[in-house]
Amino acid sequence: FFVHSLSELSLGEKLRNLRGVARSSDSGVVCCWCLPTDSFRVCFSSLSCGSKVCSLRLKSRISKDNFTINMNRLLLISVLAFSGSVLAQFDRRQPTRDNTITECFSKVADVFFILDSSSSIWVEDYRKTLDFVSQVVTRFDISREDTRIGALSFSDDYTVGFDLDRYRSKSEVLASVDERTLPYKTGVTNTDAAIRYVRENVIFREDITKVMVVITDGGSRSPGATEREADLARDKGFHMVVVGVGQFQDEYEWRRIASDPDNDYIFNITSFNFLESLQDSLPRRICLYPPIILGGECNVLENADLFFLAAPDGINDALDVMGSLQEDFQFRNNLRVRYIMPACQDVIDSNFNPDIYCDRFGDAIEQTDDTYLNLVEELRVSAQEMSVTGFSPNQVAVLFIDDRTIRVPDDQRYQLLQALRNSVNTGLKIIIVDLGVTEFQNYLPAMAGNNREDVINYSVRSSRTVSDLLDRICIGLNEVPTFGTVPASK
């Protein structure tokens, strides 16, 4: 052993400089490494100059200018110092592991990254995507109980890097976000196949936040199939997020993949160089998403009235929706239902069974400009008659509106709006089901008492839409009334 003075050098420089020095020592070993001790460095022999240090038989003491060192103590200190040096250099190459953001502490979620690696993405840009995913991963609180991460890369086909149950720690996930496990593939962009794989084959936990994050630079090979797969994923309770790179060149498809509203689920940047601008905002948004619980039901806690209104052109859609809803109501003894539709009998249904009282295959009825306004008047009269009985403090009306309903002369459209506003003012809660209105859409929230949450878009058929409608109906049936009610008779 020997003592050798050195300036502060990196670990690699220490080893390179000392390798030659070690050869001249009387130990006769190939190399050594250094430990700083005050004003000098102590070197001892090892089997290699790499990352593994294997000490040989060590003399218990060395001396220079009569300086004595206890070698057992030196060995312990040396190993600790060496480990610290290696970890420090490793951390300079890897994202910091303690970047978990406040919103993500103890967040229970399953998050799956779907990475576009098709030919339209340059390999260096794909590497930036991997770096970005690594940075996002550091923001999550990763464990088997809290947030779990999975990822695949895709083009013509897909390569699953790791599933959600593969790793239990953040360091394990970070070690696998590389081109070895998530290769750059080239080829066309089969986004639909990648989404379908995650939906059908990955095992997600029940009743927690489930998220797919699609990172892509453009449109898929089969936009229609991609849209269908995204719809099916949302129907299964997934939050669908799109990180789109480009000048909204494929805004239409990104909107079809992403959940609503777009502001919460589409992250658009113009270049892969700007991905780092999302490394905090994306995980923060994901951690704020609530679980989507499927198979919900509505407990009608108090007496309530429910009305369904549709003109002839919207009856089939209305009956489809009512059929989806009818099994979701509990405590039906508290509920009375009335159908304001030409195809239905004018009766009070105490069991909410529209198949008994409505006939979708009956004689076709021509819809005129006055039809819907007349139905709204019938609704007003029915609601007033039923409230006089003192049975119900809460009344909710679900109105199905299509283009034919809204495309009437201006004066009739204004009369329709005023009639519905008057009904709202008397305590009737109005929920609008948009069957694909393309004109005068600004009228719909006004018809629902200026509450946009009570406008449900049914132009894209999905179980999620029916679930949203059920939620709004249930709130209306059970809320504490504040005006326009008639006290129960004694």
Side-chain angles (χ1 to χ4, degrees):
F1 285 82
F2 59 94
V3 177
H4 187 73
S5 297
L6 289 172
S7 61
E8 278 294 337
L9 299 172
S10 69
L11 180 61
E13 289 170 326
K14 293 173 189 175
L15 296 175
R16 285 195 298 274
N17 279 278
L18 289 171
R19 185 176 291 119
V21 176
R23 291 180 186 278
S24 65
S25 70
D26 60 4
S27 65
V29 184
V30 174
C31 63
C32 67
W33 68 265
C34 297
L35 169 71
T37 63
D38 298 331
S39 61
F40 59 87
R41 299 180 182 276
V42 178
C43 299
F44 66 90
S45 57
S46 69
L47 290 179
S48 73
C49 294
S51 61
K52 183 185 293 183
V53 174
C54 303
S55 59
L56 297 177
R57 291 183 302 165
L58 305 177
K59 296 179 181 179
S60 61
R61 297 176 183 275
I62 65 171
S63 64
K64 179 178 181 178
D65 298 330
N66 299 321
F67 183 78
T68 302
I69 298 177
N70 184 307
M71 291 308 299
N72 289 332
R73 183 179 179 186
L74 173 61
L75 178 60
L76 175 61
I77 298 173
S78 301
V79 171
L80 292 174
F82 175 77
S83 300
S85 297
V86 172
L87 289 175
Q89 290 205 8
F90 180 78
D91 280 344
R92 283 194 292 272
R93 297 192 304 269
Q94 296 293 334
T96 305
R97 285 167 166 71
D98 58 358
N99 286 344
T100 304
I101 58 179
T102 302
E103 293 83 355
C104 293
F105 280 118
S106 301
K107 173 64 178 180
V108 181
D110 284 343
V111 181
F112 207 101
F113 289 90
I114 299 175
L115 311 181
D116 184 352
S117 64
S118 59
S119 297
S120 61
I121 297 177
W122 186 37
V123 62
E124 290 301 322
D125 285 335
Y126 179 69
R127 289 168 182 159
K128 292 173 184 175
T129 298
L130 295 178
D131 290 342
F132 169 68
V133 172
S134 293
Q135 291 293 343
V136 171
V137 165
T138 67
R139 272 64 177 175
F140 291 119
D141 189 2
I142 295 177
S143 71
R144 289 281 176 87
E145 296 75 29
D146 298 315
T147 299
R148 303 190 306 172
I149 303 294
L152 63 76
S153 62
F154 75 94
S155 57
D156 299 85
D157 57 4
Y158 50 81
T159 297
V160 181
F162 47 93
D163 277 327
L164 295 166
D165 58 354
R166 178 72 178 274
Y167 301 122
R168 67 178 65 194
S169 70
K170 188 178 297 187
S171 59
E172 289 177 306
V173 174
L174 288 172
S176 294
V177 181
D178 56 26
E179 286 186 75
R180 176 177 54 85
T181 54
L182 296 164
Y184 175 67
K185 303 175 70 65
T186 73
V188 299
T189 311
N190 286 331
T191 313
D192 58 308
I195 295 175
R196 181 168 58 253
Y197 168 80
V198 176
R199 176 177 59 82
E200 292 182 344
N201 297 284
V202 178
I203 300 175
F204 288 79
R205 291 171 288 178
E206 295 295 328
D207 297 336
I208 67 161
T209 299
K210 301 185 296 185
V211 185
M212 292 191 209
V213 182
V214 180
I215 304 179
T216 182
D217 74 329
S220 65
R221 184 181 186 183
S222 305
T226 300
E227 180 177 346
R228 286 192 297 274
E229 289 301 328
D231 286 342
L232 291 171
R234 284 189 293 272
D235 289 348
K236 289 291 186 180
F238 287 94
H239 294 274
M240 299 297 294
V241 177
V242 175
V243 177
V245 184
Q247 297 286 350
F248 279 111
Q249 56 194 21
D250 292 286
E251 177 184 5
Y252 178 85
E253 181 168 317
W254 293 348
R255 291 179 184 277
R256 294 304 179 270
I257 296 174
S259 301
D260 291 325
D262 294 339
N263 288 341
D264 288 342
Y265 291 94
I266 295 179
F267 296 78
N268 176 237
I269 52 175
T270 57
S271 166
F272 285 92
N273 293 325
F274 300 134
L275 279 170
E276 63 180 18
S277 67
L278 304 177
Q279 64 190 24
D280 287 318
S281 58
L282 175 61
R284 179 174 292 110
R285 187 72 57 79
I286 289 173
C287 288
L288 291 174
Y289 294 149
I292 297 174
I293 309 299
L294 301 177
E297 61 183 28
C298 178
N299 295 324
V300 184
L301 304 178
E302 302 290 342
N303 293 340
D305 293 332
L306 178 60
F307 302 88
F308 291 96
L309 187 154
D313 290 353
I315 285 177
N316 286 335
D317 284 330
L319 293 176
D320 287 343
V321 171
M322 290 189 291
S324 300
L325 289 173
Q326 67 181 105
E327 298 301 326
D328 295 324
F329 287 95
Q330 304 298 319
F331 308 112
R332 295 193 187 190
N333 290 338
N334 297 330
L335 182 65
R336 299 186 303 184
V337 181
R338 199 161 186 171
Y339 312 107
I340 314 296
M341 305 181 189
C344 301
Q345 300 178 37
D346 184 15
V347 297
I348 295 176
D349 183 359
S350 298
N351 294 309
F352 189 22
N353 193 340
D355 290 338
I356 295 177
Y357 301 105
C358 301
D359 182 9
R360 72 170 70 223
F361 303 110
D363 294 336
I365 300 174
E366 183 179 358
Q367 183 170 336
T368 67
D369 291 343
D370 295 328
T371 300
Y372 210 88
L373 187 59
N374 293 336
L375 291 172
V376 168
E377 174 60 20
E378 184 179 339
L379 169 65
R380 184 192 66 80
V381 172
S382 296
Q384 186 175 20
E385 290 176 350
M386 293 174 71
S387 66
V388 169
T389 65
F391 173 87
S392 173
N394 291 330
Q395 295 185 317
V396 177
V398 179
L399 279 63
F400 296 85
I401 295 183
D402 58 8
D403 266 338
R404 179 65 184 88
T405 299
I406 207 77
R407 286 177 182 168
V408 293
D410 292 344
D411 60 331
Q412 290 180 305
R413 189 165 48 253
Y414 180 75
Q415 290 179 48
L416 176 61
L417 176 59
Q418 285 301 112
L420 292 174
R421 282 177 171 172
N422 291 337
S423 295
V424 169
N425 290 336
T426 62
L428 179 65
K429 181 178 180 66
I430 302 291
I431 298 173
I432 301 296
V433 177
D434 176 3
L435 299 179
V437 173
T438 58
E439 297 182 50
F440 309 107
Q441 290 178 322
N442 59 310
Y443 272 74
L444 301 184
M447 291 177 175
N450 294 317
N451 187 351
R452 292 185 178 276
E453 291 184 345
D454 286 333
V455 178
I456 306 298
N457 187 349
Y458 191 65
S459 57
V460 178
R461 277 54 168 175
S462 74
S463 61
R464 183 70 234 162
T465 303
V466 175
S467 177
D468 290 342
L469 176 58
L470 175 64
D471 289 343
R472 301 312 301 171
I473 293 174
C474 198
I475 289 172
L477 294 177
N478 290 298
E479 68 184 357
V480 177
T482 57
F483 55 83
T485 60
V486 178
S489 60
K490 298 181 180 179

